[in-house]
Amino acid sequence: MSIDELARTTDTTSDVGTVPGMQERLIDHWFPVAAVDDAVRSPAGSGLAEKALFTWFASRPTAQARAAVLTTLLPSSQAVQEDVVSALAGSADALRRLQTVIASEFGGKPPVVLDLFSGRGIIPLEATRCGARAVGTDLSPVATLGGRLLADYPFRDWSGEPDLPFGDRGDEGLFSSDEPKLLRDVRSVLAEVGRRTAAAVEPLFPRNADGRFPWAYLWAVTIPCDQCRRTFPLLGSLVLRHPYTRTEDPGQALRLVVDGESWSTEVMEGQPDQQPPLAAVPGRKGKTARCPFCQHTHSLDVIKAKGNNGQFGDALVAVADGDDTPRKTFRAPRADELRAINTADPSALPRTGAFSAVPDEAIPPNNVNTVEALSYGYRRFGDLMNPRQQVYFASLVSSIRAVHEDLVAAGLSQAYSVALTSYAAANLQRRLRRATRGSRLNKHGKPTGAEQNRVDTHDIFAGEAQLRFSLDYLEAGPGEGPGTWSSVAKSGLNALGKILATQPTPTPGTFRRASAVALPFRDGSVNAVITDPPYYDMIPYADASDLFHVWFVRALHDVHPDLFGVGGLQDKTDEIVVKGKDRRDGGEHRTVEFYERMLSRAFAEAKRVLRPDGHLVVVFGHSDPDAWLRLLGALRDAGFVVTSSWPSRSERAVTGVASIKVTVTIGCRVAAVQRPVATAAQVDREVTTAVKAAVREWDADGLALTDQLMAAYGPAMEVYGRYSSVLLPTGDQAGLERYLTLARTAVRDATALKLDQLPLETFDAPTRFAVFWQRLYGRTDVPKGEARFLAQADNLRLEDLRGALLTESKSGFKLRLDAPAAVSERSSNFEVARAMAKAWDDGGTEAVAGVMATADRQANDAHLWAIVAEIVRQLPASDPVARALTAVQRNAGTIGTMIEYAAATAVADADARAQLTMSFGEDQA
């Protein structure tokens, strides 16, 4: 069903209201912040099950998405709030009651909810669960497929479909009679694909004597030595399994054996008795490779140059048995295994339609930071695998396509055949996540044996969406064990089963590939737009998922022709991200200016398809204030005003390593045509009052200070949006940046920081800045945009702080705690305190007294001593600066006496000189 057809089912004569008197929704006045914070930490609300079905980026917790949908569609009434909280906790009865209220609100018809940046489809999924007709669009065909797998296919009625043509084929006992048909059939399809692929590649993976495949194979890239010309492996670690004292397991390690012109590997019990050929060398960037034959060293730059010159090879160095058992046992490769890998010939594979069997698409040259292997000379996506891996994945594609043909031939409908084949392709995608030259041997535990020595395959992604590369890498085999087809299938099936358990069964969502700046829907056809837009420069979605795309093209080009019918990489023309912000990649169009312009166009499209009485809700989070400036500016330019904002501590609960801990759910409505004009002074007061009131609530909820700084943008924008113009005394327009800065200043002021009972505002501006910085970030690096905004809160320029208080690096700025070059009476108290620490180490009490005298500080300067105490409090006791300043504190009396004595001596000397001058004249004196 098309979106136009969906929209026509909505009662367009509903009395919801129009701008400016539209009916208010729950989100305008209330959001279940505490309930979301609790729910995202639960299995039902985290979204981890949904995430396990399909690999995509920037996970959105289901609890936060459900809260956004419910509060956007429900009336502003206290009567429903209790049910909202219960629904977030997993109550099906509460959700049914809310579905009834929502239907009543929209004339008995389900409202249409659009997510124009739908990603894997979490928001549309929750919209369907809440009784809406959900529509998701995304520019990425990979993401669009994920949405269909998550929130479309599971909720269709497949009960009339015939049985599959494969039978169970040895899988008896795996199926339950009351298991949903889709789950049962996906399980059967995945098992069939796995069987066919294992049979096809078995000559390349010799079985063990017991008839089993080995679990995995450890490989290393090889290079020729610049000095002796012998080839050797770039092994970065010789540890295979850590010892585990609880079971008296000594662990296992590799030993490199050099014999004349050749080398081989042995597996030994215990810990390594050699250094690995690839290791860090003090004073050098990156690791250095040492030739085991002649001991000549090769820098990382030399290694990369060899890769770019085509001098890399691949060598099998160890084999792991143990399949699905907890303990894996490593051994050296057998002779038949070494012979078999040499028979892998990807060039002999037949083409898949118009496409090569192995992806030959070039990795874009400006993707070196997204696809790490590019800087090592691997130019095409197929190069990310060794030849045997290439044959294996090409065989997987062939098996998936053959199974699809068999499904159609057996009389299954085209739609059901497509759905089942798509789940098989998703399993291929998730198998890729534990494959390629980026998958490493994952050794849990510690060399001390203090933790269990479980080993498995490491995810190829680093930092959420960066395809890592490793010079030694792990290849999972065609059998059983972590990272294998069957292992990945089990976790995917568990996720599908949980999604299918949704009751009552929702209406299937609709997912289309479309640009957010050109939505294929008619004007005023959507009741609500709820979306989670791209987070500025955090994730290059298309570049990071092109690895999946090139394999989907081969498996699904005629199964999903609307998504994968055209070869090549994903189209990034309209991708609204910032790419390479800190680099100047030639030809890269995804700049900051592009992001802001395209996001404004996307929100303008949202406004076009949104009914006049509808709401736009945006979920956003970023640590860089510049990202917020672009987002809020885009909303304003598109004609929306912020009506509410609600922070949630959602990110770390889902990923565990998120770079942001808090996201903000922002309620927006179309700006009224007639809004008043205000002066900047008036709006300044209103913003400050609104933010300080919000801080009191956030403090009660336990929201961290760093998170409050980000959440404060919402109340500030609510005030700012009330007015069509905010005028400065000069008659110029007051910009957004003024109020983002003011919001942060209000948060700081509202916290009423005191140092030894002295209010922070009584200190000099650079010291205020430094104290607040240290409270927030300690000694960690802070992005440049964040540093700039923090400086502006004290009317300081970042340029003036660079060097004096901050040191700069590629990753941002860090607070200086070392001694300044010099101090004077114009130095800030924070600089003087740092100089005192260095003086103590150099000359004790006398040197500290000298610093204070040079800086014209009195012995009893309360503000200076308060800063000394503050620095000590914020640093660990073992820190050298903390130790020095602690000693200064203990000797404050002596230091004070020295300063007073020096001052008295100076006064006496001055008096004596004056007396001599009066008696004998200046020359004689």
Side-chain angles (χ1 to χ4, degrees):
M1 183 179 291
S2 71
I3 181 62
D4 284 353
E5 292 171 323
L6 290 175
R8 292 188 191 106
T9 67
T10 303
D11 181 6
T12 58
T13 63
S14 170
D15 61 351
V16 172
T18 57
V19 176
M22 71 173 66
Q23 179 175 335
E24 293 186 332
R25 297 291 175 197
L26 198 56
I27 196 169
D28 294 321
H29 301 287
W30 180 84
F31 191 84
V33 173
V36 169
D37 292 346
D38 290 340
V40 296
R41 290 163 176 77
S42 69
S46 67
L48 292 177
E50 291 78 3
K51 180 180 179 180
L53 186 65
F54 190 84
T55 295
W56 195 243
F57 315 103
S59 304
R60 173 62 37 232
T62 50
Q64 188 178 24
R66 179 174 296 188
V69 172
L70 287 173
T71 56
T72 303
L73 300 179
L74 287 166
S76 181
S77 167
Q78 291 186 349
V80 297
Q81 293 179 11
E82 185 176 340
D83 272 345
V84 170
V85 172
S86 297
L88 294 179
S91 170
D93 290 338
L95 189 59
R96 288 190 186 93
R97 290 192 294 270
L98 294 174
Q99 289 173 349
T100 301
V101 176
I102 290 171
S104 175
E105 279 295 298
F106 292 91
K109 305 284 183 65
V112 178
V113 173
L114 168 67
D115 182 356
L116 67 164
F117 298 105
S118 59
R120 84 174 79 234
I122 292 294
I123 290 175
L125 170 66
E126 288 306 317
T128 66
R129 286 171 166 170
C130 294
R133 291 190 178 274
V135 182
T137 64
D138 201 282
L139 184 65
S140 167
V142 177
T144 305
L145 175 63
R148 292 175 182 177
L149 293 168
L150 182 68
D152 178 2
Y153 301 149
F155 305 134
R156 296 195 196 187
D157 181 6
W158 306 111
S159 59
E161 296 287 339
D163 292 337
L164 302 193
F166 320 124
D168 288 343
R169 296 195 184 180
D171 292 329
E172 294 86 353
L174 291 179
F175 304 102
S176 169
S177 58
D178 59 352
E179 195 172 53
K181 177 175 177 57
L182 178 63
L183 182 61
R184 184 169 65 250
D185 287 351
V186 170
R187 191 191 308 275
S188 181
V189 164
L190 296 183
E192 183 66 17
V193 169
R195 277 190 290 265
R196 295 187 186 193
T197 304
V201 301
E202 183 168 348
L204 304 179
F205 295 85
R207 294 178 184 263
N208 292 330
D210 61 2
R212 297 175 180 267
F213 288 110
W215 161 55
Y217 306 81
L218 184 63
W219 293 76
V221 170
T222 63
I223 61 170
C225 174
D226 278 345
Q227 181 163 293
C228 71
R229 305 302 177 189
R230 298 179 181 91
T231 297
F232 66 95
L234 300 176
L235 282 162
S237 173
L238 298 179
V239 176
L240 297 172
R241 192 180 72 243
H242 287 309
Y244 187 37
T245 53
R246 185 176 298 174
T247 59
E248 299 183 351
D249 177 5
Q252 286 186 298
L254 269 179
R255 178 186 290 125
L256 196 62
V257 180
V258 175
D259 183 12
E261 298 295 309
S262 64
W263 61 269
S264 60
T265 55
E266 294 178 349
V267 174
M268 56 178 286
E269 297 296 300
Q271 292 302 283
D273 58 5
Q274 300 173 329
Q275 288 296 314
L278 187 68
V281 174
R284 284 195 180 182
K285 179 182 178 182
K287 291 188 175 182
T288 297
R290 182 182 296 276
C291 173
F293 295 97
C294 69
Q295 307 306 309
H296 182 71
T297 59
H298 307 74
S299 69
L300 185 62
D301 288 338
V302 170
I303 294 171
K304 289 182 177 181
K306 288 182 177 293
N308 281 282
N309 290 331
Q311 294 180 279
F312 278 175
D314 292 291
L316 181 62
V317 297
V319 179
D321 295 321
D323 44 64
D324 265 337
T325 60
R327 176 169 168 169
K328 304 293 184 291
T329 303
F330 293 85
R331 57 176 173 79
R334 301 191 307 260
D336 62 328
E337 291 170 326
L338 293 174
R339 288 193 300 269
I341 60 177
N342 292 324
T343 65
D345 184 8
S347 65
L349 296 170
R351 295 180 69 83
T352 303
F355 307 105
S356 59
V358 176
D360 55 2
E361 291 87 343
I363 302 169
N366 61 349
N367 258 17
V368 67
N369 285 349
T370 303
V371 185
E372 290 181 355
L374 185 59
S375 64
Y376 289 84
Y378 296 101
R379 300 277 184 259
R380 301 181 181 278
F381 278 97
D383 297 340
L384 299 181
M385 302 176 177
N386 66 39
R388 184 166 74 173
Q389 288 178 304
Q390 293 174 355
V391 173
Y392 172 81
F393 277 94
S395 299
L396 266 179
V397 167
S398 180
S399 298
I400 290 170
R401 293 184 58 76
V403 165
H404 177 258
E405 292 174 1
D406 290 349
L407 294 174
V408 174
L412 277 72
S413 69
Q414 181 65 27
Y416 197 42
S417 300
V418 166
L420 295 177
T421 305
S422 299
Y423 284 109
N427 208 59
L428 180 150
Q429 177 218 37
R430 296 175 60 247
R431 176 74 176 81
L432 279 169
R433 189 166 181 168
R434 303 284 175 176
T436 79
R437 300 178 193 273
S439 180
R440 298 178 298 182
L441 176 64
N442 202 15
K443 300 180 283 286
H444 300 272
K446 300 177 181 178
T448 60
E451 297 180 5
Q452 187 171 354
N453 56 346
R454 179 169 58 90
V455 297
D456 54 30
T457 57
H458 202 293
D459 188 350
I460 64 174
F461 285 104
E464 183 74 27
Q466 182 182 20
L467 288 164
R468 75 171 83 239
F469 169 75
S470 181
L471 291 163
D472 48 10
Y473 58 96
L474 194 72
E475 174 195 28
E480 304 287 331
T484 63
W485 176 265
S486 60
S487 175
V488 172
K490 290 174 185 175
S491 59
L493 287 165
N494 288 338
L496 179 59
K498 292 177 181 177
I499 294 164
L500 288 168
T502 300
Q503 293 296 329
T505 302
T507 301
T510 301
F511 293 86
R512 297 179 62 173
R513 180 184 176 274
S515 169
V517 300
L519 296 173
F521 313 134
R522 62 183 174 84
D523 296 358
S525 57
V526 173
N527 296 98
V529 176
I530 306 173
T531 193
D532 182 14
Y535 284 11
Y536 197 52
D537 60 345
M538 276 192 179
I539 299 174
Y541 300 90
D543 290 309
S545 59
D546 271 337
L547 172 65
F548 303 145
H549 182 263
V550 295
W551 286 103
F552 283 155
V553 163
R554 284 151 178 81
L556 303 174
H557 58 268
D558 51 357
V559 178
H560 285 283
D562 61 324
L563 301 182
F564 306 108
V566 179
L569 305 181
Q570 296 173 91
D571 181 12
K572 304 168 181 72
T573 304
D574 286 352
E575 188 183 27
I576 307 176
V577 299
V578 177
K579 180 75 186 299
K581 186 178 66 167
D582 56 351
R583 305 188 312 277
R584 290 295 177 263
D585 297 323
E588 180 56 71
H589 69 282
R590 290 167 290 179
T591 62
V592 170
E593 295 74 21
F594 173 85
Y595 176 86
E596 185 171 14
R597 182 174 67 254
M598 293 293 282
L599 196 59
S600 294
R601 288 179 57 188
F603 288 143
E605 272 291 271
K607 180 182 174 185
R608 179 184 66 79
V609 302
L610 190 63
R611 284 185 47 169
D613 56 5
H615 275 62
L616 167 66
V617 173
V618 178
V619 181
F620 192 77
H622 203 289
S623 59
D624 189 342
D626 274 337
W628 282 96
L629 188 62
R630 310 296 172 184
L631 173 84
L632 296 169
L635 286 169
R636 177 203 58 197
D637 293 344
F640 286 100
V641 293
V642 173
T643 59
S644 61
S645 58
W646 311 97
S648 298
R649 292 182 289 269
S650 57
E651 297 302 301
R652 187 172 297 276
V654 177
T655 66
V657 293
S659 58
I660 53 173
K661 300 177 185 178
V662 168
T663 52
V664 181
T665 304
I666 306 168
C668 306
R669 291 191 294 189
V670 175
V673 176
Q674 299 295 328
R675 284 179 293 161
V677 175
T679 64
Q682 173 190 347
V683 177
D684 288 357
R685 289 192 298 272
E686 293 180 7
V687 166
T688 300
T689 300
V691 171
K692 287 186 175 181
V695 167
R696 288 192 290 271
E697 297 180 9
W698 296 334
D699 282 340
D701 291 337
L703 195 66
L705 187 56
T706 50
D707 302 330
Q708 292 185 22
L709 290 173
M710 182 172 68
Y713 301 146
M717 289 305 97
E718 290 177 47
V719 174
Y720 186 75
R722 296 171 190 164
Y723 306 100
S724 60
S725 296
V726 179
L727 300 178
L728 295 165
T730 60
D732 296 329
Q733 179 76 238
L736 272 176
E737 188 166 350
R738 174 189 181 92
Y739 290 102
L740 298 190
T741 301
L742 185 59
R744 299 166 69 80
T745 304
V747 170
R748 193 197 63 192
D749 293 346
T751 59
L753 291 180
K754 291 184 178 181
L755 308 183
D756 290 351
Q757 302 306 310
L758 298 172
L760 186 61
E761 58 265 26
T762 64
F763 289 76
D764 60 89
T767 296
R768 289 199 304 268
F769 167 84
V771 166
F772 202 58
W773 180 296
Q774 192 176 20
R775 288 275 184 106
L776 289 172
Y777 307 115
R779 305 188 81 163
T780 60
D781 285 330
V782 175
K784 295 179 181 179
E786 171 73 2
R788 177 169 57 82
F789 270 70
L790 208 60
Q792 289 174 348
D794 281 298
N795 293 314
L796 298 170
R797 298 191 316 153
L798 196 57
E799 293 75 16
D800 297 332
L801 300 172
R802 185 187 285 112
L805 290 176
L806 302 175
T807 55
E808 185 175 8
S809 66
K810 283 187 176 180
S811 57
F813 288 91
K814 183 181 293 185
L815 186 66
R816 284 191 62 177
L817 288 172
D818 60 331
V823 294
S824 69
E825 65 275 7
R826 292 187 298 274
S827 297
S828 68
N829 278 326
F830 198 81
E831 292 172 276
V832 175
R834 287 160 42 206
M836 291 165 66
K838 179 66 165 58
W840 175 267
D841 291 334
D842 291 345
T845 55
E846 187 174 349
V848 173
V851 166
M852 293 179 65
T854 302
D856 195 23
R857 295 314 198 266
Q858 301 301 311
N860 59 351
D861 190 321
H863 285 79
L864 177 59
W865 289 109
I867 291 302
V868 169
E870 170 69 9
I871 294 175
V872 170
R873 277 193 298 269
Q874 299 302 322
L875 293 175
S878 59
D879 187 275
V881 174
R883 289 202 303 266
L885 289 181
T886 299
V888 168
Q889 287 177 304
R890 291 171 180 164
N891 291 275
T894 303
I895 294 168
T897 300
M898 288 182 174
I899 295 173
E900 291 171 356
Y901 176 76
T905 301
V907 170
D909 289 345
D911 289 344
R913 184 177 181 84
Q915 185 64 42
L916 287 171
T917 301
M918 291 175 62
S919 301
F920 303 104
E922 182 66 32
D923 293 339
Q924 294 290 335

